[in-house]
Amino acid sequence: MSADIRSHESAGRTAPSARRRPVQQRSQERYGRILDACARLLDEVGATALTTKEVAQRAQVPIGTLYQFFAGKEDLLAALAGRNLDRYLQRLDARLTAEAPVDPAAFTDLAVEEFVAMKRTVPGFGQVDFGLAGPVVPTGVRDDLHLLDAGVDNNTAVALRLQALGGEVFRAGDPATVTLTLRVALEAADAVLKLAFRGDPNGDPTLIAECKRLVRGYLAHQPPAD
């Protein structure tokens, strides 16, 4: 099931606000510590109240160090979303390798299960998964729909990565059609899973099952291969 699951760092967002990527080990550790602090604070105060000053304090780095890596709040949240997507794809790739699904329905079950697992366990994921999870765009974020990639919206960026990861599972003749199909599936799944977690921190199991059923049914009607 191995496929091109390019990292966000090498293939993602190219917004003008982006700062330098860390190279040295010490800088990489600080960078990761800042993102970890951001994730924990998101659980405590939410995306709207989050500030770069508080993130720097929680990460125990000078605010100037934070700004060496991130131009501002939007850039910080974008980096966290990108890291979340990278980790999600790595987890999903491991499941795909172990279980070798042969059709979109089986792929869907694994994809939803890994997303739900991260929703339950990964700090900050309830506020920022692969984009902003809440309905309110925080101050300091100008373009919440393009946090992962400046060229396409968040769900299209995720769809492209899933399409590459799924490989032979998606056999439609037109790659653009597959991308569109996955994008629509993501929009539908996102809506149902938000409902599932709205009143239950672990996710309503009935609604999670309905999410799988909804997406499986939709993907089953994708165009046949040429």
Side-chain angles (χ1 to χ4, degrees), residues 177-226:
T177 301
V178 177
T179 303
L180 177 61
T181 300
L182 288 173
R183 181 186 179 192
V184 172
L186 286 166
E187 293 285 352
D190 186 52
V192 178
L193 290 175
K194 281 180 178 178
L195 181 61
F197 280 88
R198 185 176 299 167
D200 186 342
N202 288 316
D204 183 321
T206 301
L207 287 171
I208 292 170
E210 283 298 293
C211 176
K212 290 181 180 180
R213 190 169 72 89
L214 174 69
V215 177
R216 282 199 308 262
Y218 174 67
L219 292 181
H221 291 88
Q222 66 174 309
D226 291 341

Side-chain angles (χ1 to χ4, degrees), residues 64-85:
T65 298
L66 184 147
Y67 282 118
Q68 288 178 1
F69 302 124
F70 309 102
K73 183 173 177 176
E74 179 178 327
D75 205 30
L76 178 61
L77 295 177
L80 181 61
R83 187 175 76 167
N84 284 341
L85 178 57

Side-chain angles (χ1 to χ4, degrees), residues 12-26:
R13 194 166 184 264
T14 55
S17 62
R19 297 297 199 217
R20 69 179 177 88
R21 301 292 307 178
V23 177
Q24 297 181 344
Q25 181 177 353
R26 183 180 180 185

Side-chain angles (χ1 to χ4, degrees), residues 106-168:
F107 183 96
T108 293
D109 285 353
L110 297 180
V112 171
E113 288 168 11
E114 285 307 312
F115 184 87
V116 167
M118 290 185 70
K119 199 83 167 175
R120 290 170 174 165
T121 61
V122 174
F125 203 77
Q127 294 288 326
V128 174
D129 41 47
F130 313 139
L132 293 175
V136 179
V137 179
T139 302
V141 177
R142 296 168 297 174
D143 188 2
D144 62 305
L145 296 178
H146 296 82
L147 288 182
L148 289 173
D149 193 309
V152 296
D153 64 84
N154 296 329
N155 274 340
T156 299
V158 177
L160 288 166
R161 299 281 294 275
L162 286 174
Q163 185 174 349
L165 184 63
E168 69 276 8

